Amino acid sequence: MSSISILGLGAMGTALARTLLKNGHTVTVWNRTRSRAEPLAGAGAKIAESPAEAIAASELTILCLVDYPAARAVLEQAQEALAGRDLLNLTNGTPGDARELGTWLAARGAIYLDGGIMAIPPMIGGAGALILYSGSRALFDRHSSTLEALAESRHLGEDEGLASLYDIALLSGMYGLFSGFLHASALVTSAGYGGKAVDFLPLLLPWIEAMSGTLPDLAGKIDSGMHGRDVVSNIAMQKIALENIVRASEEQGVAPDFMRPMLRLAGDRVDSGGHGDDISAVVEVIRKRK
Ligand code: FVH
């Protein structure tokens, strides 16, 4: 069993601390608002009086704060305690944020691993939770059995920004799904039809599953750049479908705000001569807009 400190006891930090305690680890906690630490003391955690005290207390320190400025503010209070310490940051941010923090910590002699949590707090320690890691492989290997208690672990590489890049990419997929679901639900519940979102799900879910089956083909086209290969639903046709979605939404009094950007991007590809391409070709349009 190892000793772990947790800095940040919001919903996620608390779930991490509770899971580590349940697994028999020695857990030290610190939170800006001390009252959030007290229930954990009842469960066996030690409360540190400062971030520096927490970092000094354990073999591994995990940060889980609202954002990177908060993480940096906490670490700045503990600069004297950082040299030679293992630090894992599970705060959500960008690849640039992770690399910048890695550089800042390296200058102070700390060893840094970044992580992206692909789970919500009740999933921590259970099946289906995944945490992506990048940065120090040595740190990851040293603490791998501790990390496995939290979630399935995957180390993506030494570049500290990788976990965040893949975390953000997975979240993008999730928000794409949510935005499609929200728009579709607004349509079926719109004026005059009296539909219910719950009744629509038995139609929507198999449709999404069937369309997910086209992703390997689209992924191959994205990787090869061969967007015109074996196309069954060309983008010029799909542009008209998107125009119909926008017009139908307006007729139904539903704002087409989720759908307009997709129509514009597909339209840009068609206008630049890509009529016969697959929808995968939209990737070329958004890459150019970097
Ligand atoms: N909760 C979730 O569903 C997601 C799942 C995926 C990963 N995220 C990320 O995890 C980070 C923490 O999220 P959280 O859910 O624990 O967030 P909160 O419950 O809002 O707690 C925020 C903690 O941050 C502390 N804090 C905020 N500002 C400061 C600051 N300037 N200095 C020090 N600490 C600060 C706050 O402290 P307090 O308000 O209690 O004093 C909480 O401990 C996050 O990156 C998610 O994106 C969660």
Side-chain angles (χ1 to χ4, degrees), residues 82-88 105-106 109-113 136 138-139 142:
L82 295 174
R85 310 308 298 189
D86 282 353
L87 287 179
L88 163 61
L105 283 167
I111 301 114
Y112 182 53
L113 185 67
S136 169
L139 189 161
R142 260 197 302 283

Side-chain angles (χ1 to χ4, degrees), residues 120-209:
I120 55 172
M123 290 169 69
I124 296 299
L130 168 69
I131 303 183
L132 303 172
Y133 296 98
S134 59
S136 169
R137 177 80 209 195
L139 189 161
F140 177 78
D141 289 341
R142 260 197 302 283
H143 300 286
S144 62
S145 61
T146 306
L147 302 180
E148 282 295 334
L150 300 173
E152 183 192 333
S153 308
R154 251 189 246 175
H155 188 270
L156 300 176
E158 291 274 338
D159 176 343
E160 288 126 349
L162 278 171
S164 166
L165 183 70
Y166 279 77
D167 177 345
I168 294 289
L170 288 169
L171 291 179
S172 303
M174 179 187 82
Y175 282 113
L177 176 68
F178 286 171
S179 57
F181 167 66
L182 294 171
H183 188 81
S185 296
L187 281 174
V188 296
T189 60
S190 63
Y193 292 100
K196 294 262 180 252
V198 285
D199 297 335
F200 177 57
L201 281 183
L203 284 174
L204 181 66
L205 290 173
W207 172 243
I208 287 176
E209 199 180 337

Side-chain angles (χ1 to χ4, degrees), residues 4-30 36-37 40-41 43-46 62 64 124 150:
I4 301 115
S5 291
I6 312 268
L7 305 182
L9 298 171
M12 186 52 86
T14 299
L16 298 171
R18 285 199 184 282
T19 303
L20 292 168
L21 285 166
K22 250 188 242 157
N23 280 272
H25 295 288
T26 302
V27 177
T28 301
V29 294
W30 176 87
R36 286 179 104 168
L40 286 164
K46 297 177 194 164
I62 301 177
C64 192
I124 296 299
L150 300 173

Side-chain angles (χ1 to χ4, degrees), residues 7-16 30-37 51 63-75 77 89-93 115-122 124 130 167 171:
L7 305 182
L9 298 171
M12 186 52 86
T14 299
L16 298 171
W30 176 87
N31 193 58
R32 179 182 61 175
T33 309
R34 196 183 195 279
S35 57
R36 286 179 104 168
L63 286 102
C64 192
L65 295 148
V66 71
D67 57 19
Y68 271 72
R72 181 71 173 263
V74 167
L75 290 170
Q77 296 170 47
N89 180 31
L90 296 178
T91 302
N92 187 261
I117 305 176
M118 307 317 302
I120 55 172
I124 296 299
L130 168 69
D167 177 345
L171 291 179

